[in-house]
Amino acid sequence: MRKFRFRKLIPAAGVAAGAAAVLVAGAPLASAGTFDGYHSHDHRTEIIQMVAKQTQTASIDVGKKGHSLGDQLVIAEDLYQNGTKVGDHSVVCTYVHISPDALQCLGTFSLPQGQITGQALLHLPAASAVDVAITGGSGAYSAAGGHVHTVPAGTTERHLTFSVTR
């Protein structure tokens, strides 16, 4: 198993993705309904602020020894709002390109009212702020779409802004 510099883990952690909507007192920001003759488009967007605090990380060297395609980063975080833990987040990022490095990251936010999934392709070195696509969810979030904007706030903490459409 090889070790990664901790700073490299933080941007990767930020790409895994997801959002929390109903749980965290997010009021609807916008609501728009249109009719194009075939489909009615009625989407509601909720903006939610959270803080993610990294609790565990691991790097996994698979296949060819050393830095190679298929190697993975695994990251776990606790999620907070207003200082109260409201859930947790996990993400697995797989190296899909070497030199320049690129990671495909898939993540899940677990909250009392359901889970939200997301994914992103990260080109390293990653930008300090990363937007992650919300790909779906379960429970109260079964129709979730949108994105999550992640911004590092130190070495083990990130600020998250979720824009959840349903």
Side-chain angles (χ1 to χ4, degrees):
M1 185 179 297
R2 77 182 185 288
K3 300 210 183 226
F4 290 90
R5 289 179 8 166
F6 197 61
R7 287 184 178 201
K8 212 171 194 184
L9 289 177
I10 297 302
V15 312
V22 175
L23 167 75
V24 288
L29 177 69
S31 181
T34 62
F35 184 71
D36 66 8
Y38 297 99
H39 306 321
S40 175
H41 303 284
D42 189 11
H43 297 285
R44 204 173 53 147
T45 299
E46 297 180 57
I47 304 298
I48 299 98
Q49 302 283 322
M50 295 182 111
V51 173
K53 295 183 180 182
Q54 196 173 88
T55 59
Q56 298 180 31
T57 62
S59 58
I60 301 168
D61 189 3
V62 298
K64 184 178 158 186
K65 294 284 184 204
H67 186 55
S68 63
L69 288 177
D71 288 354
Q72 296 182 327
L73 300 175
V74 180
I75 300 151
E77 299 175 312
D78 286 337
L79 302 174
Y80 295 85
Q81 186 176 50
N82 301 321
T84 301
K85 184 179 176 199
V86 294
D88 59 87
H89 171 242
S90 62
V91 61
V92 176
C93 296
T94 303
Y95 279 89
V96 296
H97 197 274
I98 303 296
S99 193
D101 291 353
L103 295 160
Q104 175 69 46
C105 298
L106 304 172
T108 304
F109 287 83
S110 182
L111 300 161
Q113 295 179 356
Q115 296 184 351
I116 299 179
T117 59
Q119 72 180 57
L121 179 63
L122 259 191
H123 298 279
L124 299 181
S128 61
V130 176
D131 288 325
V132 178
I134 295 172
T135 58
S138 65
Y141 313 107
S142 62
H147 71 281
V148 58
H149 184 73
T150 71
V151 179
T155 57
T156 61
E157 186 173 301
R158 294 177 305 110
H159 291 180
L160 310 174
T161 301
F162 301 102
S163 296
V164 182
T165 58
R166 300 197 254 178

